[in-house]
Structures are given as C-alpha cells and as structure tokens.
C-alpha cells in the first residue's frame, strides 16, 4: 500500500466523534516528515477530491540561527500549494531544569492548541521509526505499559481558558516507515530543510536514530514493525488497566480533588500506586518515579496524624491533611514579605493573591471587601498598619469569639491545611492583629468588627483581585 493510500484510509477511518470538523492543520517544521504529510494531504485534496480544509502552522523555537529560513521555506511551500499558513514564536524557559527537547515539545504543543481552530485536527508527522525511538527511550527509563505504549495515534487537548473547546491531534503515519517517507519525497521531487541539531548525538533521540537504530535494523530489518505492534498491545493493556483503576478511584474521591487516605490504605500496594498514577494523569501531572510512589504509604499515608509529611518531585508535592491526600505545586515562601501600608496606595500581594489599599472610610465604594481599621484620632499609637505572612504563634481574637489563642490553633480548628496557611495575610496595627485576608475575603478581629458595627472608624483596608 502506498503512503497516499494509507493516509486516505487513515482519514476515512476517523469516526465522527474523532473528527468533529474536517479542518486539518499540519504541524509543519520544514523537515521531510511534515513536508511529506502536508504534500500528501494536499494531493488527496486535489487529486482524490477528499473533502477537507487544509492549513499549516510553523512554530519558531528560536533554537537555531536557521529558524527564520525554515519559517520562510514553510511559507513559500504553502503559498505555492495555496495552503493557508500561520507561524508563531515561543520562548523557552530552562530555569525549571527541563531539557531542551522537553521544553521545545511542551511549548510547541501548547502553541498549536492555542492557534489551531476549535475542533480542528492537528496532523502530526511522527512515523514508525519515531515510534521505535520512543519505545527504546521508555525502556531505557524503566517505563511500564503506559510508557511502552509509545506515542498514541489520537489525543485531544482543551484550548486555554475554554475547557469545552478542543483541539484534536492525529498521527496518521505511525505505520509508515522513514524509508516510505523518503521514497514519496523523492517521487514527488520535494525540497525540505535539514535541522542541524539532528546530527547532535548529545540528544538521546538523535543517538538512537544515528547509532542504535541502524544496528538494530541491520540485524532485524522488521524491528520497527515489531516494536510498533508491541506498543499497540501495551496501549490496549493500559486501557484495560485504566478502566479497572477508574472503578477503584471513583469511591476514593473527596472535595477539592483529593483522595481518601483510609480508602487508599485499603488497597494493595500495586493498586494504590496505579490509582494514584491515574489520578495524577487526570490532572495532566507527570507521575513521579516508582521509587517515589512506593514512599507514599509509609512516609505519608501512614504517618502520625499530627505530622506534616511532604513527598516532592519536580515542581509537585504530595501532602496529607486529615484524611485526604493532596497533590499541590511546591508552595513559594512568602514569610519574608512584610510591608507598612500607606494611605491611598495600592499594594500588589505576592503569589498573585490580589491587591490591597488603605483608604479613608468616606472613599470606600462599598463594592469591595473591607476591613475596618482603628481611627488614629482615637488611638494615635495604633496608626501604623502592617501586612505580613507567617508568625502563626501570635494571638488573635476573631469576630464572634470570646477569647484569643495563637493563629496556628485557630487554623487547626478551622481545618486549614498547613500549606494554605502560608498564603493567609495577617493585618496588624503595631502588635495587635486586626484581621486576616484569606482567599480574597477578610476575617476581622472582634475589635475590627465592633468598629464597623459602630461606624467608629476613619479608614480601612480594601481588597481587589486585580
């Protein structure tokens, strides 16, 4: 079967649920693989009269001095074929410790999701030899069935800010070899661009492509097809495993996307790990290593009730509070943040927690959260207003409470998790806490509440989420 016939069959096999619209967007890189995919789709459209709309997107990573040349090449090819073309630049941030390949891949997919029309199908040009490389890399990393499934043929991503609007990704060439792609390109007299980084064997995938795969193919000419079959079998087994795991996961769900600790401990170790992996996958969180997951029971789930255990990997943490297992991003330390508030000046809080402004009572519009502050005319020594984080051993008397006690005791009584406490702003006048700011709402002290009830305040603190 020719590449063109295979592609036609792949498209015709897409069900309506997988093909909500007939707008195909080729992720075009100027290399041979994506060029062949683009040209073959154009051929189906022109010669076979297959009904669909075709466009292309080039993502400029800025990693090569030739990237502008590649972008122009893509634009020229699309112009010659009368195909709609768009391009975009992405900026990579290597401060998170991720490698160049991973950074570029994540940025590329994110931008494709952003730019592709809703319900369009983004066509990716990965082929059978790419699948071989992927599975070998997963083997090297010690992956299980999920990793050994390699690249999936089809997946869906939600467009940013609109969970009901999706972009669909399809890899129609996963059963096509690199040799078939090269044959098509030669047959059609195609001209493409070579990425010089493909020669750099410091990149693991390039090392496999240049030094490992040729040896394997020489010894076993059909190894790519065999590995592709194994990947499909692993994917089928993983789908069955996920189905049972979901049944075990459902009764463990608790509010705030947490899991029941007692329920997890009732599972065997193997099922517990599998259920947690599925739970993380639902949230698009990269699962930690097997070694980290095996720590989960003894170091976190079975720890003392008054303990505050933490298991961390990359930018994520497992935390336990009361009978719930949480997964959170690593909290940023804001204990050092402290500022004396000046009148009519807006202060932007850390961690995107919003803004506060000290205003006169007559300037309060009434449509913002408000904390009444003691009038300096009544109490000049209490005129200094400070906003800070931490210091939870300080005593506080909340509204409608007959006595004071340390903040940490109130937080425990209010069932506030330890990592959430660090994001609670403490508002003080000199040594006295007059209120707390949590999740955009003020919790006044009894003194502040009394001032507001009597109308005996000259100014107060306003909050806005901007």
């Amino acid at each position: 079967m020719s590449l063109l016939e295979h592609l036609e069959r792949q498209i015709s096999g897409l069900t309506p649920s997988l093909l909500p619209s007939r707008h195909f967007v080729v992720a075009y890189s100027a290399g041979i693989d994506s060029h062949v995919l683009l040209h073959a789709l154009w051929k189906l459209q022109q010669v076979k009269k297959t009904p669909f709309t075709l466009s292309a997107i080039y993502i400029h990573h800025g990693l090569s001095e030739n990237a502008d040349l590649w972008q122009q090449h893509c634009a020229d090819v699309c112009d010659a074929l009368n195909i709609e073309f768009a391009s975009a630049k992405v900026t990579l941030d290597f401060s998170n410790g991720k490698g160049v390949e991973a950074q570029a891949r994540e940025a590329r997919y994110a931008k494709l999701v952003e730019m592709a029309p809703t319900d369009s199908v983004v066509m990716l040009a990965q082929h059978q030899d790419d699948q071989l490389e992927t599975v070998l890399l997963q083997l090297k990393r010690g992956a299980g069935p999920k990793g050994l499934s390699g690249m999936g043929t089809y997946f869906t991503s939600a467009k940013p800010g609109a969970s009901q609007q999706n972009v669909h990704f399809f890899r129609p060439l996963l059963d096509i070899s690199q040799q078939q792609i090269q044959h098509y390109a030669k047959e059609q007299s195609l001209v493409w661009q070579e990425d010089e980084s493909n020669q750099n064997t410091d990149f693991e995938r390039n090392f496999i492509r240049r030094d490992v795969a040729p040896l394997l193919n020489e010894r076993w000419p059909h190894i790519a097809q065999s590995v592709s079959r194994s990947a499909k079998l692993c994917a089928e087994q993983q789908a069955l495993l996920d189905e049972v795991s979901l049944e075990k996961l459902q009764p463990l769900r608790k509010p705030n996307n947490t899991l029941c600790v007692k329920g997890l401990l009732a599972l065997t170790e193997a099922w517990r790990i599998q259920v947690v992996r599925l739970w993380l996958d639902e949230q698009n969180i990269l699962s930690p290593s097997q070694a980290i997951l095996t720590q989960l029971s003894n170091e976190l789930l079975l720890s003392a009730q008054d303990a505050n255990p933490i298991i961390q990997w990359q930018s994520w943490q497992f935390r336990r509070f009361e009978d719930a297992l949480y997964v959170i991003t690593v909290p940023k330390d804001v204990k050092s943040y402290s500022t004396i508030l000046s009148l009519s000046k807006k202060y932007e809080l850390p961690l995107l927690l919003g803004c506060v402004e000290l205003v006169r009572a007559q300037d309060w519009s009434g449509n913002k959260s408000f904390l009444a502050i003691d009038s300096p005319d009544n109490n000049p020594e209490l005129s200094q207003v400070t906003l800070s984080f931490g210091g939870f051993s300080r005593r506080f008397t909340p509204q409608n409470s007959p006595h004071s006690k340390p903040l940490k005791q109130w937080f425990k009584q209010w069932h506030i998790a330890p990592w959430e406490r660090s994001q609670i702003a403490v508002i003080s006048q000199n040594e006295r806490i007059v209120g707390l700011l949590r999740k955009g709402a003020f919790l006044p002290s009894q003194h502040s509440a009394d001032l507001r009830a009597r109308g005996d305040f000259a100014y107060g603190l306003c909050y806005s989420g901007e």
Side-chain angles (χ1 to χ4, degrees), residues 100-127:
V100 174
E101 292 174 291
Q103 282 274 342
R105 181 173 58 253
E106 290 181 8
R108 180 166 62 251
Y109 280 113
K111 184 58 70 172
L112 285 169
V113 169
E114 178 186 324
M115 295 181 65
T118 298
D119 282 335
S120 62
V121 179
V122 177
M123 295 289 193
L124 304 173
Q126 286 97 349
H127 48 75

Side-chain angles (χ1 to χ4, degrees), residues 4-135:
L4 205 61
E5 291 170 333
H6 173 82
L7 187 58
E8 184 178 25
R9 178 173 293 188
Q10 288 287 298
I11 293 174
S12 63
L14 288 173
T15 63
S17 62
L18 301 180
L19 189 63
S21 76
R22 298 193 69 84
H23 186 162
F24 297 160
V25 182
V26 174
Y28 191 18
S29 70
I32 184 173
D33 302 334
S34 58
H35 193 158
V36 164
L37 178 59
L38 179 74
H39 189 274
L41 286 168
W42 173 81
K43 198 91 169 175
L44 286 179
Q45 195 181 49
Q46 301 299 312
V47 178
K48 298 283 189 175
K49 304 301 181 184
T50 308
F52 57 81
T53 303
L54 183 61
S55 62
I57 296 176
Y58 173 82
I59 305 300
H60 190 311
H61 299 96
L63 295 174
S64 170
E65 61 184 15
N66 296 314
D68 290 339
L69 175 66
W70 300 338
Q71 178 175 312
Q72 188 57 52
H73 173 85
C74 292
D76 292 342
V77 169
C78 290
D79 184 59
L81 298 177
N82 196 26
I83 295 172
E84 181 183 344
F85 175 74
S87 63
K89 287 188 176 183
V90 294
T91 302
L92 306 185
D93 175 17
F94 301 111
S95 61
N96 58 14
K98 290 185 179 179
V100 174
E101 292 174 291
Q103 282 274 342
R105 181 173 58 253
E106 290 181 8
R108 180 166 62 251
Y109 280 113
K111 184 58 70 172
L112 285 169
V113 169
E114 178 186 324
M115 295 181 65
T118 298
D119 282 335
S120 62
V121 179
V122 177
M123 295 289 193
L124 304 173
Q126 286 97 349
H127 48 75
Q128 197 171 74
D129 296 77
D130 292 325
Q131 186 74 296
L132 171 63
E133 296 163 9
T134 298
V135 173

Side-chain angles (χ1 to χ4, degrees), residues 1-280:
M1 183 186 301
S2 70
L3 184 147
L4 205 61
E5 291 170 333
H6 173 82
L7 187 58
E8 184 178 25
R9 178 173 293 188
Q10 288 287 298
I11 293 174
S12 63
L14 288 173
T15 63
S17 62
L18 301 180
L19 189 63
S21 76
R22 298 193 69 84
H23 186 162
F24 297 160
V25 182
V26 174
Y28 191 18
S29 70
I32 184 173
D33 302 334
S34 58
H35 193 158
V36 164
L37 178 59
L38 179 74
H39 189 274
L41 286 168
W42 173 81
K43 198 91 169 175
L44 286 179
Q45 195 181 49
Q46 301 299 312
V47 178
K48 298 283 189 175
K49 304 301 181 184
T50 308
F52 57 81
T53 303
L54 183 61
S55 62
I57 296 176
Y58 173 82
I59 305 300
H60 190 311
H61 299 96
L63 295 174
S64 170
E65 61 184 15
N66 296 314
D68 290 339
L69 175 66
W70 300 338
Q71 178 175 312
Q72 188 57 52
H73 173 85
C74 292
D76 292 342
V77 169
C78 290
D79 184 59
L81 298 177
N82 196 26
I83 295 172
E84 181 183 344
F85 175 74
S87 63
K89 287 188 176 183
V90 294
T91 302
L92 306 185
D93 175 17
F94 301 111
S95 61
N96 58 14
K98 290 185 179 179
V100 174
E101 292 174 291
Q103 282 274 342
R105 181 173 58 253
E106 290 181 8
R108 180 166 62 251
Y109 280 113
K111 184 58 70 172
L112 285 169
V113 169
E114 178 186 324
M115 295 181 65
T118 298
D119 282 335
S120 62
V121 179
V122 177
M123 295 289 193
L124 304 173
Q126 286 97 349
H127 48 75
Q128 197 171 74
D129 296 77
D130 292 325
Q131 186 74 296
L132 171 63
E133 296 163 9
T134 298
V135 173
L136 289 176
L137 283 171
Q138 292 295 338
L139 274 172
K140 189 270 295 185
R141 294 164 185 159
K146 187 177 182 65
L148 298 180
S149 300
M151 295 179 290
T153 303
Y154 185 93
F155 63 98
T156 300
S157 293
K159 289 183 75 65
S163 59
Q164 300 303 312
Q165 298 183 355
N166 297 320
V167 173
H168 310 271
F169 289 82
F170 186 49
R171 296 184 175 103
L173 303 182
L174 279 183
D175 291 326
I176 294 293
S177 68
Q178 176 73 70
Q179 187 177 18
Q180 288 173 283
I181 288 174
Q182 291 172 344
H183 176 75
Y184 181 94
K186 183 177 179 180
E187 184 181 61
Q188 300 295 326
S189 301
L190 301 184
V191 177
W192 60 91
Q193 302 293 311
E194 294 286 354
D195 185 344
E196 71 279 358
S197 69
N198 289 337
Q199 305 305 313
N200 184 358
T201 53
D202 289 340
F203 295 123
E204 292 183 329
R205 187 174 287 275
N206 290 346
F207 169 68
I208 292 176
R209 183 176 303 155
R210 291 195 58 197
D211 297 346
V212 178
L215 289 175
L216 296 175
N217 282 303
E218 183 180 351
R219 182 64 181 261
W220 301 296
H222 302 293
I223 190 172
Q225 295 96 310
S226 299
V227 168
S228 180
R229 284 197 303 273
S230 292
K232 290 177 182 177
L233 290 172
C234 285
E236 291 174 3
Q237 296 300 311
Q238 185 63 44
L240 293 174
L241 186 58
D242 286 344
E243 188 176 324
V244 179
S245 298
L246 184 60
E247 293 176 359
K248 294 181 178 294
L249 172 62
Q250 296 293 23
L252 303 181
R253 297 186 191 276
K254 297 190 73 171
N256 301 316
N257 199 22
T258 62
L259 297 183
C260 174
V261 170
K262 290 181 180 177
L264 282 169
L265 289 172
L267 299 175
T268 64
E269 178 76 5
W271 276 117
R272 188 180 307 131
I273 290 174
Q274 186 59 37
V275 165
V276 170
R277 284 191 188 278
L278 180 60
W279 175 58
L280 295 175

Side-chain angles (χ1 to χ4, degrees), residues 277-315:
R277 284 191 188 278
L278 180 60
W279 175 58
L280 295 175
D281 191 54
E282 287 180 342
Q283 302 170 74
N284 294 316
I285 298 174
L286 183 65
S287 182
S289 67
Q290 185 77 5
I292 289 178
L293 287 171
T294 54
Q295 299 173 21
L296 193 59
S297 299
N298 291 333
E299 296 186 18
L300 193 144
L301 301 182
L302 290 171
S303 61
Q305 286 297 313
D306 58 351
N308 182 25
I310 301 172
I311 295 179
Q312 183 170 321
W313 75 101
Q314 293 185 357
S315 60

